Each structure stands twice: as structure tokens, then as C-alpha cells.
Amino acid sequence: MVVNVVVLDYGSGNLRSAERALARAGAEVSVTADFKAAMEADGLVVPGVGAFSACMRGLKAVRGEQVIGRRLAGGRPVLGICVGMQILFAEGVEHGEHTEGCGEWPGVVERLDAPILPHMGWNTVQAPEGSVLFAGLDAATRFYFVHSYGVRKFDLEAGPGFAQPLVTWAEHGVPFVAAVENGPLMATQFHPEKSGDAGAVLLKNWLGTL
């Protein structure tokens, strides 16, 4: 069965790269800001590059935070990529500016404490046992990152009615969250659409959950 995926167009992200990668992975893909299409798709991909605050402004301009919230309330899958992952957290702090995020997860997106920024290039990750996104990929697999900010602490615990999220970590100067799997909400700090064969496997794994 071919699944329908919308890449949310809110003025940020590698839209065409994501579209092509998802199509190669077997999805029927459209790039749009249309609220109804984004709500009804089998899967929604939220990309993002640049500043946290600018991404949040763009997202709100197309009611993207409402789409994300409503989809998740109905158990409908969402995948965030790069800053599209970061805006899912409670807050972003850049150059002293605090910006409220979507608040789907607690946590602060802040500048990494590393000798060289941005963190640009290929890096390994430490995926937890039971990961769906990283199924079939070994610990030596590398993914492509481009970022200076990240989430250094993930505090969401298991509770009544929901399981402990699976958090994948990477390191650049300090450990940071590289991916999260939390029921219908999944996200990666790295760019699977720029990560070659490894990224293609990850996207196929995500499409398999739809």
C-alpha cells in the first residue's frame, strides 16, 4: 500500500530534498501549507533550517502548530527534521532570545558547548534498544548533521497511558538528543534526506509505521 505524506511548507527546510527522499523511499509526497491536506495525510513531515524563532513564526503563519497538535491528539504520525525537531520542544534560546516552541516535549533548545560550531558533517548516534527508526542500522552508521543548537536534557518520563519515549543520543562537545520516538511523534536532529543509504533506511522504517 502506498502511503500519502505531506511535507509541511511553512517557509523553512529542505523541502524538495525531503520530498525526493520520501518519494524514493516509496511514499506519495506533496509539499504544501494546506491545513486540510496536512491534517488528512497518512504522515506529516515538518522540516526546518535556520533560527528557532523564525521557524516558529513561519509555523504559526500556516497554523502548523495546530496541525501538529491535532494530528497527535488523534494518534496520527508526525516526523520532525532538524529545526523541525527542535520546535517540538518547550523553548528555544538563541542569542539571549527565548522563544516558545510547540511544547510537545519538555526541554530547552540551546547552543551546544563545543569547540567548533556549527556541528556540520557525519556523526554516529547511540540508538536505544527497541528503536523502530534505526532498525537494521548498526552502531557505526553515520548521519549528516548541520546545527549549532540542540537539546541536552530529555526529561519526559513514562506515565499512565504512555510508554517511555525512546531517545537516541549523539555527541559534539557535549551529548545531545539526536532523535526521539514517542508514539506517533518522531523526530531527528540530523537530516535523513541528506544521509545517503542510512537516511533512506530510516525513512523507510518511518513510512512502515504509517
Side-chain angles (χ1 to χ4, degrees):
M1 181 183 74
V2 177
V3 294
N4 169 260
V5 173
V6 161
V7 176
L8 187 63
D9 182 2
Y10 64 100
S12 179
N14 300 293
L15 302 176
R16 298 306 168 187
S17 294
E19 179 186 27
R20 288 192 295 269
L22 287 158
R24 284 195 299 269
E28 182 179 299
V29 191
S30 55
V31 178
T32 182
D34 183 76
F35 190 92
K36 186 171 184 287
M39 282 297 300
E40 293 179 352
D42 296 320
L44 177 70
V45 174
V46 182
V49 296
F52 187 103
S53 58
C55 283
M56 281 305 302
R57 284 194 299 272
L59 191 70
K60 289 181 177 180
V62 300
R63 299 165 62 203
E65 82 287 8
Q66 295 179 37
V67 172
I68 293 168
R70 291 186 189 182
R71 284 187 62 91
L72 295 176
R76 299 182 64 76
V78 175
L79 176 68
I81 295 175
C82 196
V83 184
M85 177 184 100
Q86 294 179 3
I87 53 93
L88 297 169
F89 286 88
E91 183 182 31
V93 181
E94 294 179 340
H95 309 296
E97 179 182 5
H98 293 248
T99 303
E100 184 179 352
C102 292
E104 297 296 340
W105 294 316
V108 178
V109 179
E110 57 190 336
R111 188 174 175 87
L112 298 177
D113 183 7
I116 298 175
L117 289 174
H119 172 214
M120 182 183 297
W122 298 83
N123 203 349
T124 56
V125 302
Q126 294 84 50
E129 186 176 348
S131 168
V132 173
L133 287 181
F134 296 93
L137 297 166
D138 63 36
T141 302
R142 293 179 178 271
F143 297 90
Y144 189 78
F145 291 83
V146 184
H147 64 119
S148 296
Y149 294 80
V151 176
R152 294 163 59 178
K153 190 176 182 182
F154 192 92
D155 286 328
L156 187 61
E157 301 289 340
F162 67 92
Q164 175 72 37
L166 296 180
V167 181
T168 294
W169 295 87
E171 188 165 330
H172 181 71
V174 291
F176 64 88
V177 175
V180 182
E181 299 168 60
N182 183 201
L185 182 57
M186 300 187 184
T188 66
Q189 176 62 68
F190 55 84
H191 289 273
E193 78 279 9
K194 294 183 176 182
S195 295
D197 292 342
V201 170
L202 184 140
L203 290 174
K204 284 183 181 179
N205 287 343
W206 179 69
L207 292 174
T209 70
L210 305 186

